[in-house]
Amino acid sequence: MAYVRKANRGPSAAAANRAALVTAARELFATTGFDAPLSAVARRAGVGQGSLYRHFPDRASLALAVFEGNVAELESLAAEPATTLDDLFARIIEQTVASVAFLDVVTSADERMAAVRHRVTELLAAKLDQARRDGAVRADVTTGDLLLVVGMLAGVLKRTPAADLSAVAARAWTLLRRSI
């Protein structure tokens, strides 16, 4: 699919350009991963690299914009009293099947991703406490263990062909779930 660069409409196009960049990055991160070339993001969005860097000075700021919706969705789900740790992991896995790059952001050691990692950690911690009280997980399981599980899922799913993602994600989670 060829992407045609739009004519420069100046500052009035800023919001549309930003939205196009986020959409393009979401698509490329889903198919290519977190390391998708930023030049490809700009091309897919139909803007120049200058526009990309005006809105997003680095990969981390672009990733944060792309995956803000994922984290907000998890926060909304976690806010529902009936939501369990398993429900939260099921949604994380669904989001990961849609874009493995999401787990790259959550598990990244990059300090710019710390806010996302912290938000997801808080969600897991709250649901872990409830799961412990309900006897759904072992008493010695920690939030760090859950983050390790997320990292393990990321490692497996990053190397899984797109056609197999759902099946492999479900099997990996089943095996990991038994361990906690």
Side-chain angles (χ1 to χ4, degrees):
M1 176 191 229
Y3 296 95
V4 179
R5 189 169 167 188
K6 301 176 208 168
N8 188 339
R9 297 179 304 159
S12 66
N17 287 349
R18 185 181 194 288
L21 286 162
V22 169
T23 298
R26 182 175 289 115
E27 292 167 359
L28 282 170
F29 288 172
T31 59
T32 309
F34 184 62
D35 295 326
L38 295 182
S39 59
V41 172
R43 242 187 338 274
R44 182 169 284 210
V47 302
Q49 282 189 256
S51 289
L52 172 94
Y53 289 110
R54 267 191 299 283
H55 291 285
F56 306 104
D58 54 33
R59 180 177 306 279
S61 59
L62 179 59
L64 292 171
V66 167
F67 295 113
E68 172 59 32
N70 291 55
V71 178
E73 182 181 339
L74 292 173
E75 288 170 335
S76 178
L77 177 64
E80 297 174 18
T83 298
T84 66
L85 181 63
D86 287 323
D87 296 332
L88 194 56
F89 261 102
R91 188 61 198 129
I92 289 171
I93 291 167
E94 288 171 12
Q95 290 178 343
T96 302
V97 167
S99 180
V100 174
F102 177 60
L103 286 185
D104 287 337
V105 171
V106 172
T107 59
S108 172
D110 187 322
E111 280 309 308
R112 294 166 292 181
M113 305 296 182
V116 170
R117 193 171 46 254
H118 177 73
R119 287 167 66 192
V120 173
T121 299
E122 291 297 312
L123 298 173
L124 292 172
K127 294 303 173 182
L128 176 59
D129 288 341
Q130 184 61 48
R132 277 194 209 115
R133 284 191 297 274
D134 294 345
V137 298
R138 294 189 337 252
D140 65 334
V141 173
T142 67
T143 305
D145 294 334
L146 296 181
L147 290 175
L148 181 59
V149 166
V150 169
M152 293 166 80
L153 283 168
V156 168
L157 297 179
K158 281 171 43 173
R159 291 163 185 77
T160 300
D164 300 330
L165 273 175
S166 292
V168 170
R171 183 68 181 143
W173 172 239
T174 298
L175 293 170
L176 290 167
R177 180 63 179 95
R178 289 179 189 158
S179 71
I180 59 171

